[in-house]
């Protein structure tokens, strides 16, 4: 790919110069869609990061040998997904990547780290409280029994992705706030000798409360993805109840579906 362009600005088109877009002009897949898919993959894998500038449509057209309408359509696809933004006088800029998470028993921290998303955590709450009836039932405890409640804000590239609330039996472990901000909860459980085996999980959606909107940098009332999970160890003991909310603009679940035989 050509390497011309303004290299004097941080986040300039230099990041795009290093990428090799393989566009098949004989494919039935439209060129704009091929370009959009490959550009999205580069963002997801951290080859293009928040703040990177792609240049204007005229520059991109010349670099790729595509028409301006084709480039414009590809960019609009990713603008609509919230991955790119057009800035007057600057050009097209990467804003963030969407987190895609498969449905398996793993922690968000581990998934983000494996995807090169650079996760960070801010612990908002770490204390012991009496279990409500709902929490007690999920964890197999007596109502009013002591549980540890954790509330954390998980971010990638400095932008919030999820607000996480977890309840654990208090006898399980005493999670250290500093360690929780440096790693994932499931890693702490494993380091305490707890083997996670299975979980029951429900995914839904609802409108963001004022508090959630403020934490997640969203508008109040915007749709958020929700996830409720009860995880069990290899003895069948419930060890964690998670009730989390995720920014729908930045987070998706991937499903693999198999036909019944």
């Amino acid at each position: 790919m050509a390497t011309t362009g303004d290299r004097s600005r941080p986040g300039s088109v230099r990041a795009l110069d290093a990428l090799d877009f393989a566009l098949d002009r004989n494919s039935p897949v439209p060129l704009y869609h091929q370009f959009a898919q490959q550009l999205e993959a580069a963002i997801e894998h951290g080859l293009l990061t928040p703040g990177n500038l792609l240049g204007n449509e005229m520059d991109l057209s010349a670099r790729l040998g595509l028409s301006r309408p084709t480039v414009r359509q590809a960019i609009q696809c990713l603008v609509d997904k919230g991955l790119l933004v057009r800035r007057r006088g600057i050009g097209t800029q990467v804003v963030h990547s969407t987190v895609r998470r498969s449905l398996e028993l793993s922690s968000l921290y581990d998934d983000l780290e494996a995807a090169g998303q650079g996760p960070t955590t801010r612990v908002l709450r770490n204390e012991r409280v009496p279990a409500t009836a709902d929490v007690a039932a999920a964890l197999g405890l007596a109502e009013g029994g002591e549980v540890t409640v954790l509330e954390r804000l998980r971010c990638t590239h400095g932008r919030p992705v999820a607000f996480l609330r977890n309840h654990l039996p208090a006898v399980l472990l005493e999670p250290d706030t500093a360690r929780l901000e440096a790693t994932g909860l499931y890693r702490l459980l494993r380091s305490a000798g707890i083997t996670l085996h299975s979980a029951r999980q429900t995914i839904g959606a609802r409108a963001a409360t004022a508090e959630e909107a403020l934490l997640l940098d969203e508008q109040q009332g915007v749709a958020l993805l929700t996830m409720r999970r009860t995880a069990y160890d290899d003895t069948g003991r419930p060890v964690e109840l998670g009730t989390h909310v995720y920014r729908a603009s930045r987070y998706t679940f991937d499903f693999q579906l198999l036909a019944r035989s």
Side-chain angles (χ1 to χ4, degrees):
M1 181 175 291
T3 56
T4 59
D6 178 6
R7 297 177 181 275
S8 62
R9 294 178 299 175
S12 71
V13 293
R14 69 183 67 184
L16 191 65
D17 291 341
L19 302 180
D20 183 19
F21 294 99
L23 303 176
D24 184 356
R25 298 175 189 276
N26 296 318
S27 170
V29 179
L31 287 171
Y32 86 87
H33 190 64
Q34 293 183 47
F35 179 41
Q37 282 188 317
Q38 293 177 44
L39 197 56
E40 182 174 358
I43 295 171
E44 288 179 359
H45 291 93
L47 302 177
L48 291 173
T49 59
N52 282 152
L53 294 171
L54 306 188
N56 58 43
E57 291 173 2
M58 185 178 297
D59 291 338
L60 290 172
S61 298
R63 289 170 179 277
L64 300 169
L66 298 173
S67 68
R68 288 185 66 183
T70 297
V71 170
R72 185 179 302 117
Q73 191 171 6
I75 289 175
Q76 187 61 48
C77 288
L78 300 193
V79 169
D80 292 341
K81 289 185 176 184
L83 303 181
L84 300 177
V85 65
R86 290 186 174 99
R87 301 194 186 280
R88 186 181 299 275
I90 296 177
T92 303
Q93 189 173 29
V94 179
V95 284
H96 55 65
S97 58
T98 300
V99 178
R100 284 189 168 87
R101 189 176 181 192
S102 59
L103 285 181
E104 57 185 39
L105 186 53
S106 60
S107 74
L108 177 59
Y109 188 94
D110 289 344
D111 290 342
L112 292 174
E113 189 174 68
Q117 294 283 342
T120 57
T121 304
R122 179 156 60 98
V123 175
L124 307 175
R125 186 182 182 191
N126 180 0
E127 63 178 326
R128 293 190 172 189
V129 298
T132 63
D134 178 58
V135 170
L139 294 178
L141 304 173
E143 184 175 351
E146 195 173 45
V147 295
T148 299
V149 59
L150 306 173
E151 293 183 355
R152 295 165 295 155
L153 187 65
R154 181 65 44 76
C155 302
T156 63
H157 305 295
R159 302 284 302 280
V161 175
F163 172 60
L164 313 174
R165 179 181 288 117
N166 301 83
H167 288 86
L168 315 172
V171 297
L172 207 61
L173 79 163
E174 295 185 12
D176 178 73
T177 294
R179 292 190 67 193
L180 282 168
E181 293 192 335
T183 189
L185 175 60
Y186 280 11
R187 290 188 186 180
L188 293 186
L189 291 173
R190 289 193 293 266
S191 68
I194 298 164
T195 303
L196 296 168
H197 179 266
S198 61
R200 295 185 62 86
Q201 180 166 289
T202 303
I203 298 169
R206 61 171 173 76
T209 65
E211 179 187 8
E212 291 165 346
L214 182 63
L215 286 171
L216 295 173
D217 192 23
E218 289 281 11
Q219 296 294 321
Q220 184 176 351
V222 73
L224 299 176
L225 286 172
T226 66
M227 190 269 281
R228 178 185 171 98
R229 172 191 284 182
T230 304
Y232 303 86
D233 67 9
D234 54 356
T235 69
R237 172 184 58 165
V239 294
E240 175 241 358
L241 170 65
T243 51
H244 309 327
V245 291
Y246 305 85
R247 296 179 67 180
S249 60
R250 296 201 58 195
Y251 193 92
T252 61
F253 286 101
D254 281 345
F255 296 82
Q256 182 179 13
L257 303 178
L258 301 177
R260 289 184 177 179
S261 57

